[in-house]
Amino acid sequence: MVAGELVQEHLRADTGAPDHITVGRKSPEPDADPYPTCGAQPAPGVAALHRDPEEVEVPPGEREAMLPCAGAGGGTLVTKVYGRRFAVLAVFSLYSLVNAFQWIHYSIIANVFTNFYGVTNDKVDWLSIVYMVAYIPLIFPATWLLDRRGLRLTALLGAGLNCAGAWIKCASVSPERFGVTVTAQVICSVAQVFILGLPSRIASVWFGPREVSTACATAVLGNQLGTAIGFLLPPVLVPNTPDDLELTGHNISIMFYGTAAVSTGLFILTVIVIKDRPPLPPSQAQAVLPGSPLEDYSYKQSIINLMKNKAFILLLISYGILTGSFYSVSTLLNQMIIYYFKDQELNAGRIGLTLVVAGMVGSIVCGLWLDHTKTYRITTLIVYLLSLLGMLVFTFTLDLDNIYLVFFTAGVLGFFMTGYLPLGFEFGVEITYPESEGTSSGLLNAFAQIFGIIFTLIQGRLTTDFDPFAGNLFLSAWILLGVVLTALIKSDLKRHNVNMATENKTLQALPIEGPGDRPAENQPSGVQMEPSLGFSRETSL
């Protein structure tokens, strides 16, 4: 079946209303619930929030849905979207940008830093790999913190540590202070643990159902833009002057101090702008979830639930393979280009810029497509397959001594490989709802870091011992495996079905008296989902 026919197959309208979806939540005890449901009047302190000058009216289909309630004749789940959501998204995207810039600005001018600090290429490579190494052990406490303490504290930690690392780098501009720059980079790598898992959380908590995928793609785009700037600016700000270390140090100082100043301004904006959640939920899927962590919430149980989800396990591995390949190509791009094109550091940066900017376009296009069609699985599979083709074309044309052809093939590769990143996030949230978005995104990123470390070390060794062709062929073989795994995923679009069910008045909100009413293993994050056969399912190949 050709790709176009597969896409059309998933655009069919459901001929009948979905079966009942039962969503249970423990009866809350606090005095005021910021998310009133089933016709309940908002608490006095919350009523004023309905007149927030920033609130924006949403289309009638998204504003509210009449729902049958347990033991009641009917009521409403009130939803609103607020203008503040754009400020939250912008500030997050910008400090994520700076963090990504600090990840790659060593590797893209690796020959400059090896000369300045008197170290080997592999030590400079580790300044990039440390981002991946730090993420793996820290992602679990970071996602626990996001679930228990909320978006704001997590965002403050990410922006604050990013700022601190940037200032410490300013003290490392001396040939004998390589250890200081390593320490600073470790701090920045810890900061990214509190950054990479937030795009899907921000999108879900702040944005309506018809814009959530685009918002997630935009949040991921900030990180991609930082990588793009990291490819472009360092070769311009720090040109290769091997015979004048003093001038090299001066140029490095300009780059480090500029980064620190921008990071400080963004930390201040984070303190001012980012909040845990809006006064009212933006979608029905958020409205039926608890407004705060429940007493019986189990982060361990949430992880266990995700590990039992076969579709999510397949996504974990396939997402890790493709994203890890992107990390490896980004880290080693300078070495690949210099191998075939001598003294082309500036063009290496420009090729990296082309790779990521094309990926940014791909991210936005994929986000808009998902918001319009909700064909998560088939879109993910097609983009993955095209990433494989892009990698093969890049591999077999790199040694043709045509720099302009490399620009083109890198752009094609970036469009699909980087454009896949938000697809994986949103697909993961859909098939694991109502588990925490931060937990699913965190695990996806953890696997990406694991594969990134392995691929960077192996591809780096193949590039050094043989040539870039061998390293790229190694990655292509793994991406082919990722295509096969993606084709095996069978998915229930659970979050999408909750939104659709409320529009068809088939969602029941049933109070649960206590955690003992149902087995703990069936209570993901305090919310009980009982899907029926009426759930729409994306067709498996």
Side-chain angles (χ1 to χ4, degrees), residues 27 104 115 125 128 188 215 267 295:
S27 300
I104 205 66
N115 183 65
D125 288 344
S128 172
C188 291
F267 175 68
E295 293 178 3

Side-chain angles (χ1 to χ4, degrees), residues 25 57 209 228 263 311 344 353 439 467:
R25 58 181 290 183
E57 283 297 320
S263 298
Q344 292 291 325
L353 175 68
T439 305
D467 56 23

Side-chain angles (χ1 to χ4, degrees), residues 307 309-325 384 420 431 443-452 455 478-479 481-486 488-489:
M307 291 297 101
N309 188 326
K310 294 180 181 178
F312 184 66
I313 293 298
L314 289 172
L315 181 64
L316 273 181
I317 299 173
S318 59
Y319 182 90
I321 289 173
L322 192 59
T323 309
S325 298
Y384 212 122
Y420 171 83
I431 62 180
L443 287 173
L444 287 171
N445 278 318
F447 270 68
Q449 311 303 326
I450 292 172
F451 279 101
F455 288 170
W478 276 94
I479 296 174
L481 174 62
V483 171
V484 175
L485 295 176
T486 302
L488 295 175
I489 297 176

